[in-house]
């Protein structure tokens, strides 16, 4: 019996796992249509919703390759919560142990870091067009040879992070704070130039540090003629 069950689990598709768990938890309820999809969330969360006979399950894509017993545990967790029942301990522990594995923790850390910063708007802001600024600087300092990455304004008006180069998405994200009349163009150009240098001088990422300024980076940064003025302007924003 247990051998049969184990091999059955291995061949079940995610929606079949949810169907089986649903039947186990709600034997007398009509089985809804079950849709399971994996989504690029910025964390390990998963969601379930029951609406007009359709049970929609959205699971973090980090679990897309998780073994079936882990998805089974997740199905028990989500469906128990949906019906406000206590989650059987065997499943909550199985799931928690899996997420706590070292590779899993590392994977989630990377996902949070890279996806936590989505930019809503494209390069055209209210005040400045990042593509135009990029191409101007590309022409002036890089012989027009730098391939343009994705460019966007940050979701939040961040003062702490004015610019950021995200190598995993090949994207330069500039703080929405700078898309304003109060921000002089020189300041925006300087932040963009700085991020372009991160593209120009890639680094081996050690640990969580995002912004690494090597001596050659600092040397190159001084090409920007109004370097000091720009830094002063940024301080006053
Ligand atoms: Zn930097």
């Amino acid at each position: 019996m247990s051998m049969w069950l184990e091999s059955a689990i291995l061949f079940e598709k995610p929606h079949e796992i949810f169907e089986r768990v649903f039947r186990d938890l709600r034997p007398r309820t009509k089985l809804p249509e079950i849709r399971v999809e994996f989504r690029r969330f910025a964390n390990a969360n998963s969601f379930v919703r029951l609406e007009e006979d359709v049970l929609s399950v959205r699971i973090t894509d980090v679990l897309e390759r998780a073994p079936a017993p882990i998805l089974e545990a997740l199905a028990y967790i989500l469906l128990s919560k949906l019906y406000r029942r206590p989650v059987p301990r065997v499943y909550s522990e199985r799931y928690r142990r899996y997420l706590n594995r070292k590779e899993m923790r590392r994977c989630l850390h990377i996902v949070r870091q890279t996806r936590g910063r989505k930019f809503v708007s494209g390069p055209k802001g209210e005040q400045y067009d990042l593509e135009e600024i990029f191409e101007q600087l590309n022409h002036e300092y890089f012989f027009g040879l730098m391939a343009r990455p994705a460019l966007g304004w940050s979701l939040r008006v961040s003062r702490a992070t004015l610019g950021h180069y995200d190598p995993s998405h090949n994207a330069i994200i500039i703080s929405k704070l700078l898309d304003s009349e109060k921000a002089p163009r020189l300041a925006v150009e300087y932040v963009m130039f700085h991020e372009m240098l991160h593209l120009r001088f890639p680094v081996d990422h050690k640990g969580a540090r995002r912004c690494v300024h090597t001596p050659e980076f600092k040397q190159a940064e001084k090409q920007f003629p109004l370097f000091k003025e720009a830094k002063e302007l940024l301080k006053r924003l």
Side-chain angles (χ1 to χ4, degrees), residues 106-117:
R106 205 173 59 209
C107 176
L108 281 167
H109 177 71
I110 292 168
V111 161
R112 272 188 214 107
Q113 265 206 328
T114 55
R115 295 185 190 167
R117 298 172 173 274

Side-chain angles (χ1 to χ4, degrees), residues 163 194-195 198 210-213 217 221:
H194 180 99
E195 299 313 324
H198 278 301
R210 281 185 215 107
C211 194
V212 180
H213 306 127
F217 183 106
E221 200 176 26

Side-chain angles (χ1 to χ4, degrees), residues 73-88:
L74 179 63
Y76 273 102
I77 293 168
L78 291 175
L79 293 176
S80 300
K81 284 186 178 161
L82 180 70
Y83 290 106
R84 296 171 206 281
R85 287 167 51 156
V87 179

Side-chain angles (χ1 to χ4, degrees), residues 3 26 158 235:
M3 278 255 306
R26 309 287 291 182
S158 171
K235 274 186 213 152

Side-chain angles (χ1 to χ4, degrees), residues 110-159:
I110 292 168
V111 161
R112 272 188 214 107
Q113 265 206 328
T114 55
R115 295 185 190 167
R117 298 172 173 274
K118 291 201 189 90
F119 40 89
V120 266
S121 56
K124 232 184 179 66
E126 281 161 38
Q127 186 72 17
Y128 298 111
D129 182 347
L130 294 175
E131 268 181 21
E132 188 205 315
I133 291 178
F134 178 94
E135 287 310 338
Q136 177 203 320
L137 295 167
N138 194 7
H139 180 77
E140 283 173 31
Y141 301 100
F142 303 94
F143 306 99
L145 293 173
M146 189 177 278
R148 193 166 68 213
L151 300 167
W153 296 99
S154 71
L155 185 67
R156 287 194 204 135
V157 179
S158 171
R159 197 169 286 277

